[in-house]
Amino acid sequence: MTKRSARPHPRDATKPRTRIQKRNRELILGAALEVFSKHGYRGATLDQISSEAGLSKPNLLYYYPSKEAIHRELLHGLLDTWLDPLKELDHGGEPLDEILEYVQRKLQLARDYPRESRIFANEILQGAPTILPDLEGDLKALVDRTAATIRRWIETGKLAPVDPVHLIFSIWALTQHYADFDIQVRAVNGGVDPFPGAEQHLNTLFRRMLTPDQGAS
Amino acid sequence: MTKRSARPHPRDATKPRTRIQKRNRELILGAALEVFSKHGYRGATLDQISSEAGLSKPNLLYYYPSKEAIHRELLHGLLDTWLDPLKELDHGGEPLDEILEYVQRKLQLARDYPRESRIFANEILQGAPTILPDLEGDLKALVDRTAATIRRWIETGKLAPVDPVHLIFSIWALTQHYADFDIQVRAVNGGVDPFPGAEQHLNTLFRRMLTPDQGAS
DNA sequence: TCATGATTTGACCAACCGGTCAAAGTCACG
DNA sequence: CGTGACTTTGACCGGTTGGTCAAATCATGA
């Protein structure tokens, strides 16, 4: 009848209690970001992550119950960061400017956080085994909301008619391409940093696509 | 001094000698395509591939010396298929039509061969460990050639001015997105097949982007 | 039919990998 | 300074995986 007591992991999987827990969890997630982004989920090993974090392997498993748990928490944190630029879109702003600014925000995210982008890409490529529910839930809701706004913008004639959902896909595809396929892009680009060119290219691309015809009544 | 003889693999890694070799190599590559595309290189196992191919594991390794060798040969075969649409571009044709047709060919490839696309995406994501030389060689050469033609088209005023290389990146990004991120696309799209919409969307997108201004002198 | 090379496989192995455990060390606070 | 909870780790384990090997089977043509 003594307490089953002292499960190997800190009291709860939820919020960190002590200073040490906070520090080490951050250390682990940082290391996991590096290793998962470089080798993918399957290619990454707990030894690599623990070594990168400066902790022992059993110590990792003291803070997280399994490799999968680390991956899951990392991914959920990422999703928020990744959706932020779309949430910041001002539904009452000037249509063309709002979209062009969104494109630039997303491109900067791809440039500044390529590891996050690659982990996300890897997850989707594998069929989104851990975040499919979030895609079908939060993400779809956010896209539906944004699409409705874009549709309204088109109706008022401030934007050329395009399929709003495919427009959003296009923005994602074009911006993430520079992060996820970085090696290919640089190989073809002769090793030159593609981002300055991309910034200007995407700006003119979307401006031409979305500027309504002048001749309309 | 007897011959070192009877290395476990068929005479050469080059061309198949017998009917059986041809059949089994194709069987293996087909199975590898299925398994690698579903689980990635690291996540795929020889057992899965051999089972999918209907052969025993040692039999696999009779035809290919290692897992990596299978992957390498598969990847090289894919690259050709993948570059074909760009090679078919008629440098003497009508600029806008040629590019729009190229977009459609690439999109159909993404729809009809998503497994090939995903294997390719996975390879690039991991830093192109096996085909980087091909990217820097054949692919870059092909892109440079195409970019030169596009530049000429722009100079003759048949195409709006855009950066040719980034234009090619855009085509790749937009078309492959529908294959590689299929799950995400469908999740957001409410499970609806996105390809019909994509076909029309990309057509209007590139037409608007590339049609030269009418008012030009 | 028989010999020879091509093909196939069951048994096996060493390395790796995710995860466990008991014991030892450390921290904070009364 | 003691004590109970928190943290850390060396040693270990069972399952998986890429790959090997010797022996068996098959195909072919002289």
Side-chain angles (χ1 to χ4, degrees):
Chain A
M1 290 306 178
T2 46
K3 313 179 205 171
R4 272 246 152 259
S5 88
R7 281 293 103 215
H9 309 291
R11 285 305 175 208
D12 216 315
T14 52
K15 299 306 166 212
R17 314 250 145 180
T18 78
R19 215 166 306 130
I20 294 179
Q21 281 196 24
K22 189 165 192 290
R23 178 176 57 92
N24 283 351
R25 278 175 189 262
E26 282 171 6
L27 236 44
I28 291 168
L29 288 181
L33 172 63
E34 178 68 20
V35 176
F36 280 136
S37 73
K38 198 176 294 179
H39 304 288
Y41 176 73
R42 291 238 148 112
T45 73
L46 289 179
D47 285 288
Q48 287 172 315
I49 298 175
S50 62
S51 156
E52 177 83 26
L55 301 173
S56 69
K57 182 167 63 165
N59 207 2
L60 274 203
L61 294 163
Y62 171 73
Y63 289 104
Y64 289 95
S66 68
K67 181 186 178 182
E68 203 196 318
I70 300 176
H71 187 64
R72 198 182 317 134
E73 179 149 337
L74 183 59
L75 223 43
H76 272 97
L78 256 54
L79 192 60
D80 284 343
T81 311
W82 225 238
L83 262 46
D84 249 14
L86 189 49
K87 284 184 187 151
E88 281 177 25
L89 190 132
D90 178 4
H91 291 232
E94 191 59 30
L96 187 57
D97 294 341
E98 285 299 322
I99 290 181
L100 291 180
E101 274 164 31
Y102 171 53
V103 170
Q104 294 302 328
R105 280 198 298 273
K106 205 83 173 53
L107 184 61
Q108 275 162 30
L109 217 58
R111 177 182 53 198
D112 298 338
Y113 302 97
R115 294 177 304 176
E116 284 82 346
S117 183
R118 279 192 198 108
I119 287 184
F120 197 74
N122 222 307
E123 165 73 5
I124 306 290
L125 257 185
Q126 302 307 321
T130 72
I131 57 156
L132 185 56
D134 301 76
L135 300 185
E136 291 170 334
D138 292 351
L139 181 61
K140 180 170 178 4
L142 182 57
V143 168
D144 285 348
R145 219 180 315 142
T146 309
T149 294
I150 294 175
R151 220 167 272 121
R152 211 175 322 119
W153 285 345
I154 292 173
E155 280 165 12
T156 66
K158 310 276 267 183
L159 228 50
V162 289
D163 184 313
V165 174
H166 284 280
L167 170 61
I168 293 169
F169 288 159
S170 297
I171 295 171
W172 291 348
L174 287 165
T175 53
Q176 290 201 207
H177 187 80
Y178 289 97
D180 302 340
F181 294 159
D182 182 70
I183 289 91
Q184 191 192 40
V185 167
R186 283 176 199 273
V188 169
N189 214 26
V192 179
D193 178 16
F195 279 99
E199 193 171 324
Q200 212 213 312
H201 174 75
L202 294 187
N203 204 298
T204 69
L205 187 160
F206 283 105
R207 168 164 277 121
R208 289 214 188 109
M209 172 177 29
L210 295 174
T211 301
D213 289 351
Q214 303 293 15
S217 72
Chain B
M1 290 310 173
T2 46
K3 313 179 206 170
R4 271 248 152 259
S5 90
R7 278 297 101 213
H9 309 292
R11 287 303 175 209
D12 216 316
T14 51
K15 299 306 167 212
R17 313 251 147 179
T18 79
R19 216 167 306 129
I20 294 178
Q21 281 196 26
K22 189 165 192 288
R23 178 177 56 91
N24 283 350
R25 277 175 190 264
E26 281 171 7
L27 237 43
I28 291 169
L29 288 181
L33 171 63
E34 177 68 20
V35 176
F36 281 136
S37 73
K38 198 176 291 177
H39 304 288
Y41 176 73
R42 292 226 137 117
T45 72
L46 289 179
D47 285 288
Q48 288 172 315
I49 298 175
S50 63
S51 156
E52 177 83 25
L55 301 173
S56 69
K57 182 167 62 164
N59 208 1
L60 273 202
L61 294 163
Y62 171 73
Y63 289 103
Y64 289 96
S66 68
K67 181 185 178 183
E68 201 196 320
I70 300 176
H71 186 63
R72 198 182 318 133
E73 178 147 337
L74 183 61
L75 223 42
H76 273 97
L78 255 54
L79 193 60
D80 284 342
T81 310
W82 224 237
L83 261 45
D84 250 13
L86 189 49
K87 285 184 185 150
E88 280 177 26
L89 190 131
D90 177 5
H91 292 234
E94 191 60 30
L96 186 56
D97 293 340
E98 286 300 323
I99 289 180
L100 291 181
E101 273 164 31
Y102 171 53
V103 170
Q104 293 302 327
R105 280 199 299 272
K106 205 84 174 53
L107 184 62
Q108 276 162 30
L109 216 58
R111 176 183 52 197
D112 297 338
Y113 302 96
R115 294 177 305 175
E116 284 81 346
S117 183
R118 279 191 198 108
I119 286 184
F120 197 74
N122 222 308
E123 165 73 4
I124 306 289
L125 257 185
Q126 302 307 321
T130 73
I131 56 156
L132 185 55
D134 301 77
L135 300 185
E136 292 170 334
D138 293 350
L139 181 60
K140 180 170 178 6
L142 181 57
V143 169
D144 285 347
R145 221 180 315 143
T146 309
T149 294
I150 295 176
R151 220 168 272 120
R152 212 176 321 121
W153 285 345
I154 292 173
E155 280 166 13
T156 66
K158 309 276 267 182
L159 228 50
V162 289
D163 183 312
V165 175
H166 283 280
L167 170 61
I168 293 170
F169 289 159
S170 297
I171 295 172
W172 291 348
L174 286 165
T175 53
Q176 289 201 208
H177 187 80
Y178 288 97
D180 302 340
F181 293 159
D182 183 70
I183 289 91
Q184 190 191 40
V185 167
R186 282 176 200 274
V188 169
N189 214 27
V192 179
D193 178 17
F195 280 99
E199 194 171 325
Q200 211 213 314
H201 173 75
L202 295 187
N203 204 297
T204 69
L205 187 161
F206 283 105
R207 169 164 276 120
R208 288 212 188 112
M209 173 177 29
L210 296 174
T211 300
D213 290 351
Q214 303 293 16
S217 72

